[in-house]
Amino acid sequence: MKKGLLWIVLATLLLGSFDSLAQMNRGAIQKNNKRIMSYKGRKSNFTKEKRYLSVGGSLNALNYYGDLAPRPSVFSTDISFTRPALAVSISQRLGPRYTVTAGLMYGTLRGSDQSADADDMSSGVYRYRRNLSFRNRIKELSVIASFDVFENIATYLSRAPWTPYVFAGVAVFHHNPQALAPETGVDGQPLPQGGQWVNLHKLGTEGQYADLLPTDVNYGIEPYKLVQFAIPMGIGVRFKIHEVVDFSGEIGFRYLFTDYIDDVSRNYVDLGVLDSELARALSYRGHELSGPDLEKVMIPARNGVVYEHINGYGYEYPTNMRGQDNNKDVYMVTTLRVSYIVGKTMHKAKFR
């Protein structure tokens, strides 16, 4: 009897222990499930050790948009005037998506009224008769921030195989527009500089250095500055082609704060206020054109000389517009860049 009672007591204690353990296990499972449901992942900071520096070289193409484009449109350019540019850059990776790049670029812009359609009576014929052209060698220093679509929170080795990105920044550039001087001046006499590229800024082709009257259309005009600011903006795509090498392509625009990248912005001035035959020949170039459809008029200038003009071009009159100063110039930069990550090495596992 005593032995049977002992077994009953032991069985009761054992069942109670199992029940207590089951309750404890259920509580632990419920608590663990709550932790899993509320878990948002461990934050991984882009620490200083994950940042990296890269240097790059690029071949660029420059295109001009402005008063001497084929058509009066912000999207009009002459592809045949595309000119190459070279650039070097240094980039600092600062975060999973962010990179800051400093770059130095040198290249040439070109534009000409001869790219307009002379049979286009809406605007082409006007541009053709204006007959202006230029080139401008650009030396640009820029600081640009880019934002990647695909992030990388790990080291440079784990960066995305490819990623699109957008960029914007600030640039400062030096420019100095030039034109190819004609063989003869407006007076019909040979020019010593004929056939040479000459700087337009110092000539003041719109009366920048002339003593204009308060009644003159361009009165108060100031010489434009040869050092200007720009706002670069654009898109690109970057490819990882090696552990420490990237290849990228970009299309970007430089939005300018000047309308004189082409030396053209406002109205014609009286040729007599300009101080040289070279300035007159490059301010008004309609004298280089001939044809039965060109109406010519004789206009006396303030220097006492009577010059022949295409009617509506080259002399002081409110509607004789040389350019459109309400639209600033723009140039486009198309970039192919190779970048090398410096100060990093790739260690591969060795198998034996």
Side-chain angles (χ1 to χ4, degrees), residues 306-325:
V306 178
Y307 295 104
E308 184 181 67
H309 296 263
I310 298 175
N311 192 20
Y313 299 80
Y315 53 91
E316 171 70 29
Y317 196 73
T319 60
N320 289 356
M321 299 176 65
R322 196 167 182 262
Q324 295 280 351
D325 64 347

Side-chain angles (χ1 to χ4, degrees), residues 18-33:
F18 284 149
D19 185 61
S20 298
L21 289 173
Q23 291 180 4
M24 291 175 62
N25 190 46
R26 283 195 298 271
I29 292 174
Q30 291 174 356
K31 187 175 181 180
N32 188 55
N33 287 341

